[in-house]
Every structure is written in C-alpha cells, then in structure tokens.
Amino acid sequence: MYADEVRAVLLAHKERGALGLARPLGGALAGAIRAGCGPPDGRGLLIVPVPSARRAVAARGHDPTRRIAFAAACELRRERRPARVLALLRQRRTVADQAGLTGPQRRANLAGALMVAGGSARLLRAAPAVLVDDLMTTGASLAAAAEAVAEAGGRVVAAAVVAGPLGAC
C-alpha cells in the first residue's frame, strides 16, 4: 500500500475534484519518468496514460491520470525534454472495478481489455512510449496497456506512476 499522505492527495485529486493538485502530482510523475527513462535521447517521449473507465470519468467529471500526465509533460518540456501526451488507449470492453480484486483477478479482469484507438498506431511508432498511471497496486493495468501498445507496433520503454506499493522499486 502507499503512504497515507500520498493516498490522501491522490484521492483528493481523483475523487473530490481537487484539480489544483494535478501540478504537484504531475511533478512527482515527471520525476518517475526521468528516473525510468534516463537522459533524453533527442527523440522525445510519448506519454501514454492508462485510461480510466468512461463511467468513472463521467462520475468524477475528469480523467485524473490524463490530467496528471499533461502536468508531467509540461514539467518535462520546461526542462527541455520533449514529451507529449497521447491518450490513445481505449477500453475494448467493460471491466469490473478493480478495488478489492486480488492480483490474479485484476489480471483476468483486464486481459485483452485495452486497445489502441483506430488510426493511432502510427503515432506510437514515432518515439518510445512511457505508460503512466496515478498509482500501481499489482501492475495489471500497466501490463494490459503494454500489451495493447505492443500489439499496435509501439515500443514501451518505461512505466511510471505517482505512487505504488511501499518497498517497490
């Protein structure tokens, strides 16, 4: 589990609409991207957020992971590290809410559930992709996203999250 303070900030942004938290959360995500990708190679990065369920976005009034991804890309660009957000993953089918599911249940729930939006595959071949999510519990969402990007011909070079299990590297 992630620390109580980080959990509170993520939940405030995600569930209570504290949109002003997107910038500091984006800063944390940018730090994770820098750590996972090393020095810039000149081609830039494609930041690909794991999509939220449509019903969750509608209920919240925003897509928190996408909002944080845009804030992270802004910070990286301010550092002269080319980065752009491509929100091109879609849910191919409805998935169950992941809360309360075990690791194997989460993987089964998401198996084959994500796809790259039609016509977007060529964008993924332009530069290396970094998958991003607000938090990682078991890694099932990131694994499903990586599978979808690979199926579309993209190359995932890293995954980055704002928070994950304590003790994870």
Side-chain angles (χ1 to χ4, degrees):
M1 202 57 178
Y2 46 105
D4 289 339
E5 295 83 5
V6 176
R7 181 178 191 277
V9 171
L10 278 170
L11 288 176
H13 176 260
K14 191 173 189 169
E15 303 297 342
R16 293 190 293 283
L19 303 183
L21 294 172
R23 189 169 180 183
L25 290 169
L29 184 59
I33 292 169
R34 282 190 299 273
C37 294
D41 68 1
R43 291 188 299 165
L45 295 172
L46 302 177
I47 299 174
V48 181
V50 172
S52 297
R54 285 186 192 153
R55 67 185 176 278
V57 172
R60 292 177 181 135
H62 74 116
D63 184 335
T65 301
R66 188 174 179 180
R67 185 177 296 276
I68 294 168
F70 277 109
C74 283
E75 179 166 323
L76 293 168
R77 287 192 301 267
R78 277 194 298 273
E79 299 166 357
R80 300 197 187 328
R81 182 174 197 145
R84 65 182 176 146
V85 177
L86 291 179
L88 47 71
L89 290 174
R90 304 288 182 268
Q91 289 189 341
R92 186 184 314 242
R93 60 175 172 74
T94 303
V95 296
D97 186 346
Q98 299 277 88
L101 297 181
T102 65
Q105 290 169 328
R106 286 173 183 242
R107 286 188 293 279
N109 184 40
L110 291 170
L114 299 180
M115 62 181 242
V116 171
S120 299
R122 66 178 175 74
L123 297 171
L124 284 171
R125 291 189 284 274
V130 178
L131 302 176
V132 298
D133 207 348
D134 57 349
L135 72 102
M136 181 183 75
T137 305
T138 65
S141 298
L142 290 166
E147 181 181 307
V149 168
E151 283 177 7
R155 184 172 65 94
V156 174
V157 294
V161 297
V162 174
L166 292 177
C169 294

